[in-house]
Amino acid sequence: AQSVTQPDIHITVSEGASLELRCNYSYGATPYLFWYVQSPGQGLQLLLKYFSGDTLVQGIKGFEAEFKRSQSSFNLRKPSVHWSDAAEYFCAVGDYNQGGKLIFGQGTELSVKP
Amino acid sequence: ETGVTQTPRHLVMGMTNKKSLKCEQHLGHNAMYWYKQSAKKPLELMFVYNFKEQTENNSVPSRFSPECPNSSHLFLHLHTLQPEDSALYLCASSQAGTYTEAFFGQGTRLTVV
């Protein structure tokens, strides 16, 4: 079955510290992977996406993600977290022929300590 | 206006009411989607429309009735809902074709009382 797992429901990091959010997927075909962010009361904003090519993908707001086929993972990283990064982060896998048809993980809520 | 706009932002309705959610996209896309976001559950894809035609219905109860009159507008008609239908309903759009991505609206927070 196709699925996305985000093992961490809630993570707290100190401002300025590095961040890594985990994502594992199960998908029958070549995965088309995304990270979205959702601030309270808002919709989802795309941070980055990956289909092929360089396995390290750069996104907006200083985020990057690394695709590891052998581990079925697509972890999101940021070297130095800012207070404004506090939000919920969603990993998703989709069909490269229909970019809006997505299977989401349960999300990871990020809190940032001053 | 730019992007994907949803109205209303908040809606409270009784179980016997009929209401509609509206979504409009200003991105020139030709695919639109409804997602449901409940507490403690992953976002669930409800419906997919391509070029105004419904191409996917993920076993959604008939009390939810979508309508797509053109590629820019998508509605979700609601009737005789249950309290467990309370959720954030998100609309998204994308360009048909390969390697595209979805753009989401801000959602309608629905409470069924």
Side-chain angles (χ1 to χ4, degrees):
Chain A
Q2 300 169 352
S3 65
V4 176
T5 302
Q6 294 180 246
D8 304 306
I9 302 298
H10 190 195
I11 283 182
T12 299
V13 300
S14 298
E15 191 168 16
S18 64
L19 171 70
E20 182 169 25
L21 302 182
R22 297 183 290 164
C23 173
N24 292 96
Y25 66 90
S26 172
Y27 197 73
T30 302
Y32 187 21
L33 294 157
F34 303 83
W35 275 99
Y36 282 88
V37 61
Q38 185 179 34
S39 298
Q42 301 297 311
L44 278 70
Q45 181 183 22
L46 179 68
L47 287 175
L48 46 80
K49 63 180 182 179
Y50 173 79
F51 180 70
S52 65
D54 191 344
T55 56
L56 187 62
V57 183
Q58 301 299 318
I60 63 171
K61 304 186 179 187
F63 285 93
E64 66 179 26
E66 185 171 14
F67 172 66
K68 293 185 177 179
R69 184 183 299 276
S70 61
Q71 298 177 20
S72 297
S73 70
F74 188 56
N75 294 350
L76 182 71
R77 301 195 294 246
K78 186 169 186 178
S80 176
V81 168
H82 188 263
W83 63 267
S84 60
D85 293 323
E88 189 148 25
Y89 292 79
F90 293 93
C91 181
V93 65
D95 180 348
Y96 78 98
N97 273 317
Q98 179 101 55
K101 193 173 152 185
L102 299 166
I103 299 168
F104 282 90
Q106 288 198 295
T108 297
E109 185 179 355
L110 173 66
S111 298
V112 180
K113 292 190 299 186
Chain B
E1 293 231 38
T2 58
V4 181
T5 304
Q6 291 186 242
T7 54
R9 291 292 309 277
H10 300 271
L11 178 62
V12 179
M13 61 184 288
M15 290 190 283
T16 58
N17 291 161
K18 290 184 180 181
K19 296 286 185 184
S20 296
L21 310 184
K22 179 183 176 183
C23 176
E24 183 174 4
Q25 59 94 1
H26 305 271
L27 300 168
H29 292 163
N30 42 37
M32 296 188 77
Y33 315 80
W34 281 116
Y35 280 86
K36 177 182 179 181
Q37 186 177 25
S38 306
K40 313 283 186 190
K41 292 179 69 175
L43 283 94
E44 302 169 82
L45 178 62
M46 300 174 71
F47 302 102
V48 179
Y49 277 82
N50 283 289
F51 298 94
K52 304 187 299 176
E53 299 299 318
Q54 187 182 122
T55 54
E56 190 154 333
N57 173 342
N58 281 326
S59 304
V60 180
S62 59
R63 58 185 183 270
F64 295 90
S65 174
E67 178 189 4
C68 190
N70 55 62
S71 291
S72 299
H73 293 86
L74 184 64
F75 295 88
L76 189 62
H77 304 299
L78 315 171
H79 63 99
T80 56
L81 294 191
Q82 305 299 311
E84 59 265 28
D85 297 321
S86 299
L88 182 68
Y89 289 85
L90 290 163
C91 173
S93 70
S94 72
Q95 190 64 287
T98 56
Y99 312 123
T100 62
E101 68 262 14
F103 291 78
F104 285 81
Q106 292 185 303
T108 295
R109 172 67 64 187
L110 174 66
T111 304
V112 181
V113 297

